[in-house]
Amino acid sequence: MSLLGLSLATRRIAESTQPMTFQYHKGPLLNGKITINLIWYGHFKPTQRAIISDFITSFSSSQHDSQPSVATWWNSIGKYHRLADPKKNATPLSLSLGKQVTDDTYHLGKSLTNKHLIELASKAGQQVNSINIVLTASDVAVDGFCRGRCGTHGSSKSNSQKFTYIWVGNSETQCPGQCAWPFHQPMYGPQSPPLVAPNNDVGLDGMVINLASLLAGTVTNPYGNGFYQGPKEAPLEASSACPGVYGKGAYPGYAGNLLVNPTTGGSYNANGINKRQYLLPALYDPTTSSCSTLPAQRAIISDFITSLTASQSESQPSIATWWSTIGKYYRLANTKKPTSVVLSIGKQVIDETYFLGKTLTTQQIEALASKAPQNTDAVNVVLTAADVAVEGFCINRCGTHGSKTTPQKSIYIWVGNSETQCPGECAWPFHQPMYGPQSPPLVSPNNDVGLDGMVINFASLLAGTVSNPYGNGFFQGPKNGPLEAASACPGIYGKGAYPGYAGDLLVDPTTGGSYNANGINKRKYLLPALYDPTTSSCSTLV
């Protein structure tokens, strides 16, 4: 029997993000259809088993699941396969849940060696196209557990059959500060309050983090000669190269900017099947030489757009109710045949390479808008990151909308993330204003000042786009500086608003975030007042 074992010690420290170089050692990667077999050793509640099995099933679930999703996270692994096989001869990787073996009699005792782990892994069969995962209960001690590792992956050869395996332990009663951070106070280093586990189980939610990291390492370095950096005996792999990083802005002692379930308070960054939520580690992106986290910020925007035409049964006041006010403009413009505007998300184009640089002109914004289909029934929205400067941004605008006539008629919107450039101007009331009456900033409902500010500006521009798409629709004032459906009501978000005061708003009791509209996936947003052409006044949701 030959054995190769690669261990994972989950560290809380978000180490240097300086570019690293992963080496491909020319060995095979796991690809094609892979079956995941689970071996449960020790006592697990049925609810605990469901957390893990739902996680595995979520890898290959529909991309129509709520974003960001477990499936989206897993798709990043495809970059390794494309680098290893540029001619695309390999079969695409897909995971499915296979056999589950349960041993709650502790037939090997409660103190296991590496040899015991391989013996348990072999209980589910020994196939090349499978990964056998051994999961040990919280009262099971494993050689090296909590001292230098939280789990391990490796390969074993028996009867000329090579198979891969993973072991992950439940650290809840043994070392949660080491193997279940950030859901428990860390054992060492910077101290910060622990986060609420998304499935209300510190041990199992910690196991998911470690299992996710080990799965990424297993498929990209199954036999010790795939992708990794550092020594072969202690390699940094697809996920272990990014310790302690779970969201944007992570640093030692801080997991990063994460999503928070408004009902449970659980922190997460990925949605799974059965309305599950999980916290997954960052993955090292070999194409950019950086740690990549799930696009939680993109989900804030995409959920907002989907919410515009969501069912009216959503919690009130809702984004759909806010958007229905726009219908009044259509009824005034076409009294014989009133229509409404139904919006849906179409194509999403991502450019993380800054191929036009980080200082853009209006012409370049239009060029970016043309990357998506240019149809008369489409609005192409360009969203620029916090480190991108755009002509006029922060000086006299937070975004813009416009139209092009060549090569065909199309309309577009641009909105910038002002978080690091001018949050006092473009993300008020979530930041201290740059001028005028001063009042304490409000807590942003999605815990992201830049993105919540973008939603406000995007909502305003979207209202202006549909009611004045070509500059000859509804507006007041000069054509080159029009006041439109939302921009005619600046700084008004709730009843009783006045300069420096956004108005009487709703406050989330869990997060403290201020909002006035509910969206899908229990999202909350702050939206600007809309000018009501039937009453000649600014109309708010609250």
Side-chain angles (χ1 to χ4, degrees):
M1 176 180 286
S2 63
L3 168 67
L4 168 68
L6 306 175
S7 299
L8 168 72
T10 298
R11 291 166 283 176
R12 310 150 300 90
I13 300 176
E15 296 174 344
S16 172
T17 56
Q18 293 297 317
M20 302 173 285
T21 302
F22 258 42
Q23 287 185 312
Y24 177 41
H25 300 270
K26 305 302 180 183
L29 278 60
L30 296 187
N31 59 65
K33 295 181 179 180
I34 303 297
T35 301
I36 303 294
N37 300 312
L38 303 178
I39 300 94
W40 301 90
Y41 187 81
H43 178 68
F44 286 92
K45 300 174 184 177
T47 53
Q48 292 181 313
R49 292 181 188 150
I51 292 171
I52 299 291
S53 59
D54 281 354
F55 171 61
I56 298 298
T57 305
S58 297
F59 278 94
S60 54
S61 62
S62 169
Q63 290 299 306
H64 297 297
D65 286 345
S66 298
Q67 295 295 324
S69 70
V70 174
T72 299
W73 178 84
W74 185 245
N75 284 343
S76 300
I77 293 296
K79 295 181 180 181
Y80 287 88
H81 289 79
R82 287 189 287 275
L83 284 175
D85 182 34
K87 294 182 179 180
K88 300 180 180 179
N89 293 319
T91 306
L93 178 69
S94 65
L95 303 182
S96 62
L97 184 60
K99 185 187 299 184
Q100 296 196 52
V101 178
T102 303
D103 178 1
D104 52 11
T105 65
Y106 301 89
H107 87 280
L108 291 176
K110 292 187 176 183
S111 184
L112 305 181
T113 64
N114 286 332
K115 185 177 179 181
H116 288 141
L117 295 178
I118 298 171
E119 181 180 340
L120 288 170
S122 66
K123 296 291 184 182
Q126 302 171 31
Q127 293 85 30
V128 175
N129 63 336
S130 68
I131 302 174
N132 294 347
I133 300 175
V134 178
L135 303 153
T136 52
S138 59
D139 58 350
V140 176
V142 177
D143 186 29
F145 188 35
C146 295
R147 294 194 299 274
R149 60 182 185 172
C150 303
T152 191
H153 80 84
S155 63
S156 180
K157 187 175 182 180
S158 179
N159 298 323
S160 300
Q161 187 71 44
K162 185 180 281 190
F163 71 99
T164 56
Y165 69 91
I166 291 173
W167 158 69
V168 180
N170 185 341
S171 67
E172 184 175 16
T173 60
Q174 299 184 55
C175 55
Q178 179 179 347
C179 294
W181 186 85
F183 305 128
H184 191 278
Q185 200 77 16
M187 292 178 64
Y188 51 84
Q191 299 293 302
S192 57
L195 304 179
V196 176
N199 293 287
N200 197 32
D201 191 315
V202 170
L204 265 291
D205 279 303
M207 290 183 81
V208 167
I209 290 174
N210 298 320
L211 175 56
S213 180
L214 289 163
L215 270 170
T218 298
V219 299
T220 57
N221 187 32
Y223 308 115
N225 54 1
F227 281 97
Y228 67 88
Q229 61 172 325
K232 185 175 182 178
E233 299 75 21
L236 291 178
E237 300 177 318
S239 178
S240 59
C242 302
V245 180
Y246 298 92
K248 177 189 174 189
Y251 55 81
Y254 175 61
N257 188 8
L258 304 174
L259 302 172
V260 177
N261 185 300
T263 301
T264 66
S267 293
Y268 70 101
N269 60 8
N271 293 283
I273 67 166
N274 297 328
K275 298 185 178 179
R276 291 278 187 194
Q277 292 168 337
Y278 298 99
L279 184 63
L280 303 182
L283 291 175
Y284 182 82
D285 187 333
T287 64
T288 63
S289 298
S290 63
C291 293
S292 175
T293 58
L294 271 167
Q297 292 184 313
R298 294 178 196 152
I300 293 172
I301 298 292
S302 60
D303 281 356
F304 167 67
I305 295 172
T306 304
S307 299
L308 289 166
T309 50
S311 168
Q312 292 298 312
S313 62
E314 296 282 343
S315 298
Q316 296 297 324
S318 72
I319 293 174
T321 300
W322 176 84
W323 185 245
S324 66
T325 302
I326 292 296
K328 296 181 179 182
Y329 287 89
Y330 280 78
R331 288 188 285 275
L332 284 176
N334 190 355
T335 55
K336 293 182 179 180
K337 189 180 180 181
T339 58
S340 59
V341 184
V342 178
L343 302 181
S344 62
I345 294 182
K347 186 175 182 181
Q348 294 193 51
V349 179
I350 299 172
D351 175 14
E352 295 179 332
T353 65
Y354 303 89
F355 85 104
L356 290 178
K358 292 187 176 183
T359 302
L360 305 180
T361 64
T362 299
Q363 186 177 9
Q364 288 173 316
I365 291 294
E366 293 179 354
L368 287 170
S370 67
K371 295 294 183 182
Q374 300 179 63
N375 304 317
T376 55
D377 59 349
V379 180
N380 292 347
V381 182
V382 177
L383 303 156
T384 51
D387 57 351
V388 176
V390 178
E391 180 183 4
F393 188 36
C394 297
I395 301 172
N396 55 17
R397 61 180 184 172
C398 304
T400 190
H401 77 86
S403 61
K404 295 173 59 180
T405 56
T406 57
Q408 64 185 86
K409 206 171 202 180
S410 61
I411 52 180
Y412 68 90
I413 292 173
W414 157 69
V415 182
N417 185 339
S418 66
E419 183 178 15
T420 59
Q421 299 183 56
C422 56
E425 180 177 347
C426 294
W428 185 84
F430 304 127
H431 191 279
Q432 202 77 16
M434 293 178 65
Y435 48 82
Q438 299 293 301
S439 56
L442 304 179
V443 176
S444 59
N446 292 287
N447 194 33
D448 191 315
V449 170
L451 264 290
D452 280 305
M454 288 182 81
V455 168
I456 290 174
N457 298 318
F458 178 35
S460 177
L461 290 163
L462 195 58
T465 297
V466 299
S467 58
N468 186 33
Y470 306 112
N472 56 359
F474 284 95
F475 67 91
Q476 58 178 313
K479 186 175 182 179
N480 58 355
L483 292 178
E484 299 175 320
S487 59
C489 303
I492 300 176
Y493 299 93
K495 180 182 177 182
Y498 54 81
Y501 176 61
D504 298 334
L505 303 174
L506 302 173
V507 177
D508 187 298
T510 302
T511 66
S514 293
Y515 70 102
N516 60 7
N518 292 284
I520 66 167
N521 297 328
K522 297 184 178 180
R523 291 275 190 194
K524 293 177 171 58
Y525 297 96
L526 185 62
L527 304 182
L530 290 176
Y531 183 82
D532 187 333
T534 64
T535 63
S536 298
S537 63
C538 293
S539 174
T540 61
L541 280 169
V542 294

